[in-house]
Amino acid sequence: MQKYITLFFSVLLFAACKQAATPPPDVVAEPQMVNLLTELHLTDGELYTVTPVADTLYKYGREKYIAVFKKHHISEKQFDDSYKYYTQDPEKIQGIYEKVDKVLKAKLDSITKAGKKPGATQQKPQINAVPQE
């Protein structure tokens, strides 16, 4: 019985030590993947801020995603293959998403700074305030 247990764990060990996956021939480069994922997440945010009506999210959302792919000159299949490749290496995909996070935070900071006017004092909005006459 001990032979079978040893054999089982040996096979399991060899299976776990297989070589890293080879990249697909048309894998998207990391910098382009960062830009692509940033735009895709911005598109996600844009779509989910609008109140969805039956089938409009799918109908118009799909067109927006296809427009992002066309802008970056890649196909949906190429994106899917590249995303699968990068997610097989947790450190690699984490690095990509850290860069995406930095870009999104920089965009948010620039929007926040643009909304603030120099010299103007900011007042907190009053919720349920009674208008004064």
Side-chain angles (χ1 to χ4, degrees), residues 23-68:
D26 56 350
V27 69
V28 176
E30 280 189 44
Q32 185 181 5
M33 193 70 170
V34 169
N35 294 334
L36 181 61
L37 285 171
T38 301
E39 284 198 46
L40 288 173
H41 288 300
L42 288 172
T43 303
D44 284 342
E46 180 183 339
L47 289 173
Y48 288 110
T49 57
V50 177
T51 306
V53 180
D55 294 335
T56 57
L57 189 61
Y58 176 77
K59 181 180 177 183
Y60 297 113
R62 182 150 175 79
E63 291 175 10
K64 289 184 181 246
Y65 291 119
I66 290 172
V68 171

Side-chain angles (χ1 to χ4, degrees), residues 14-127:
F14 288 125
C17 294
K18 69 177 186 177
Q19 292 194 1
T22 57
D26 56 350
V27 69
V28 176
E30 280 189 44
Q32 185 181 5
M33 193 70 170
V34 169
N35 294 334
L36 181 61
L37 285 171
T38 301
E39 284 198 46
L40 288 173
H41 288 300
L42 288 172
T43 303
D44 284 342
E46 180 183 339
L47 289 173
Y48 288 110
T49 57
V50 177
T51 306
V53 180
D55 294 335
T56 57
L57 189 61
Y58 176 77
K59 181 180 177 183
Y60 297 113
R62 182 150 175 79
E63 291 175 10
K64 289 184 181 246
Y65 291 119
I66 290 172
V68 171
F69 291 137
K70 284 183 182 179
K71 178 180 177 184
H72 288 273
H73 307 290
I74 67 165
S75 66
E76 289 180 68
K77 183 178 179 349
Q78 186 180 2
F79 170 75
D80 289 340
D81 291 345
S82 299
Y83 194 76
K84 285 177 187 175
Y85 168 72
Y86 285 122
T87 55
Q88 289 176 353
D89 185 357
E91 291 176 3
K92 201 175 271 193
I93 194 69
Q94 182 177 2
I96 289 173
Y97 268 105
E98 286 173 357
K99 292 174 187 173
V100 169
D101 188 45
K102 285 180 185 178
V103 172
L104 290 174
K105 283 182 180 177
K107 287 181 183 279
L108 181 62
D109 288 345
S110 68
I111 290 170
T112 304
K113 287 179 184 177
K116 293 181 181 178
K117 295 180 182 175
T121 58
Q122 295 226 342
Q123 297 178 354
K124 292 183 180 178
Q126 296 179 359
I127 299 173

